[in-house]
């Protein structure tokens, strides 16, 4: 199998396209040409192995220009687009910046600049693809954690600083709460306002309770709580500190 990268060259001037095609092929690329935006879209839909699009902005008499063509293509397929144009006007460049592109090369910059820009576009695209994959994996991991958290039959309350920041349905049930708003933002001392079996007052801050438990070498202890409607009950706490 060939390891050559395939480039779709979108250029309305046939002679310029021929010269650019030869230049790109000299640098080891396989080149497909399209002389209009419509043809470029057709080529992308019919050719699944296009690795990069080298897009001219001014496509002559074509109804759509290169930026419009790129927008249509990118809605359908994730392909790196590198704009190649003779325009250097700020307004034209700004239009390309609104599209997910991988650079802007001015025509007649020379084949070394063009080839370097193409290589950089491939590197940026690969880095961006890897970042998206990591973000996707992180999202799925967070979704799994959220599902386990919410569906756990054990009451779970999360504390940040000295207030609850989240809880699951089991915690709401045991606290006789109808919604998380009755727990989130509340201090642990507000739901355990009675003296504990060891004589400590529950009005100590959550951070102090955690500190005492860890200092004693245990993250499991009994603690007395009170539901929102005043009913007192004992709970067996399993404490887990999550490093940030």
């Amino acid at each position: 199998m060939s390891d050559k990268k395939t480039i779709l060259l979108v250029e309305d001037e046939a002679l310029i396209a021929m010269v650019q095609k030869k230049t790109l092929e000299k640098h080891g690329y396989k080149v497909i040409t399209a002389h209009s935006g419509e043809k470029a879209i057709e080529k992308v839909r019919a050719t699944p192995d296009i690795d990069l699009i080298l897009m001219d902005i001014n496509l002559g008499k074509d109804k759509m220009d290169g930026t419009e063509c790129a927008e249509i293509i990118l809605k359908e397929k994730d392909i790196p687009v590198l704009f190649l144009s003779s325009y250097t006007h700020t307004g034209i460049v700004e239009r390309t910046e609104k599209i997910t592109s991988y650079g802007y090369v001015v025509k007649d910059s020379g084949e070394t600049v063009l080839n370097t820009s193409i290589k950089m576009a491939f590197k940026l695209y690969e880095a961006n693809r890897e970042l998206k994959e990591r973000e996707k994996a992180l999202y799925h991991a967070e979704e799994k954690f959220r599902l386990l958290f919410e569906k756990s039959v054990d009451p779970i309350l999360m504390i940040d600083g000295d207030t609850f920041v989240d809880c699951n349905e089991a915690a709401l049930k045991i606290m006789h709460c109808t919604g998380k708003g009755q727990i989130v933002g509340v201090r642990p001392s507000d739901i355990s306002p009675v003296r504990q079996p060891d004589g400590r007052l529950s009005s100590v801050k959550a951070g102090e309770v955690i500190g005492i438990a860890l200092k004693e070498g245990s993250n499991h202890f009994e603690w007395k709580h009170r539901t929102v409607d005043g009913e007192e009950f004992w709970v067996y706490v399993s404490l887990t500190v999550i490093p940030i």
Side-chain angles (χ1 to χ4, degrees):
M1 182 181 292
S2 173
D3 58 354
K4 284 186 176 181
K5 296 287 189 181
T6 300
I7 293 177
L8 172 61
L9 173 62
V10 186
E11 169 60 60
D12 64 305
E13 295 288 345
L15 182 59
I16 295 176
M18 182 179 66
V19 173
Q20 290 176 339
K21 184 175 185 293
K22 287 183 178 180
T23 298
L24 294 170
E25 288 175 339
K26 185 175 72 173
H27 287 280
Y29 301 108
K30 179 181 176 181
V31 182
I32 302 171
T33 58
H35 301 305
S36 69
E38 286 82 0
K39 290 295 182 182
I41 295 170
E42 290 177 9
K43 291 286 179 71
V44 169
R45 289 171 177 170
T47 312
D49 60 345
I50 293 173
D51 298 299
L52 180 140
I53 299 175
L54 194 57
M55 179 74 73
D56 189 9
I57 293 179
N58 183 4
L59 297 178
K61 297 179 181 180
D62 197 2
K63 292 181 180 179
M64 72 172 71
D65 64 17
T67 59
E68 294 170 319
C69 178
E71 286 179 321
I72 293 172
I73 290 173
L74 291 175
K75 286 179 181 179
E76 299 182 11
K77 195 169 183 180
D78 182 22
I79 306 177
V81 176
L82 178 63
F83 287 103
L84 178 65
S85 179
S86 57
Y87 289 105
T88 57
H89 190 274
T90 302
I92 299 296
V93 177
E94 287 178 348
R95 287 177 62 187
T96 66
E97 291 175 349
K98 296 178 181 179
I99 302 170
T100 305
S101 65
Y102 288 82
Y104 186 100
V105 182
V106 178
K107 286 183 179 179
D108 300 325
S109 294
E111 64 180 83
T112 300
V113 173
L114 177 59
N115 188 41
T116 300
S117 298
I118 291 172
K119 290 180 178 180
M120 181 58 68
F122 279 127
K123 289 180 180 179
L124 290 173
Y125 175 75
E126 184 62 23
N128 189 42
R129 186 186 65 80
E130 291 177 358
L131 177 60
K132 287 180 179 179
E133 288 182 354
R134 288 197 296 270
E135 289 176 343
K136 185 177 180 181
L138 179 60
Y139 171 78
H140 286 308
E142 289 176 344
E143 285 295 297
K144 288 179 181 178
F145 168 78
R146 175 57 55 181
L147 181 62
L148 291 171
F149 175 78
E150 292 292 350
K151 300 303 180 182
S152 174
V153 295
D154 295 319
I156 303 175
L157 296 99
M158 299 180 68
I159 300 172
D160 185 13
D162 193 41
T163 58
F164 291 113
V165 294
D166 204 353
C167 65
N168 64 355
E169 290 296 323
L172 293 178
K173 185 176 180 180
I174 199 173
M175 295 300 299
H176 298 178
C177 296
T178 57
K180 289 189 177 184
Q182 292 173 281
I183 292 291
V184 175
V186 172
R187 296 174 300 174
S189 58
D190 294 331
I191 63 171
S192 55
V194 293
R195 187 174 295 277
Q196 301 301 325
D198 60 1
R200 287 176 297 179
L201 291 176
S202 61
S203 59
V204 296
K205 294 183 178 180
E208 294 176 26
V209 174
I210 294 173
I212 292 170
L214 295 179
K215 186 177 180 180
E216 294 176 352
S218 173
N219 60 347
H220 303 285
F221 52 90
E222 287 187 316
W223 201 251
K224 201 169 189 179
H225 283 334
R226 187 176 66 186
T227 65
V228 292
D229 48 14
E231 179 183 334
E232 294 179 357
F233 63 100
W234 288 99
V235 292
Y236 184 70
V237 178
S238 178
L239 178 67
T240 301
V241 178
I242 302 175
I244 298 177

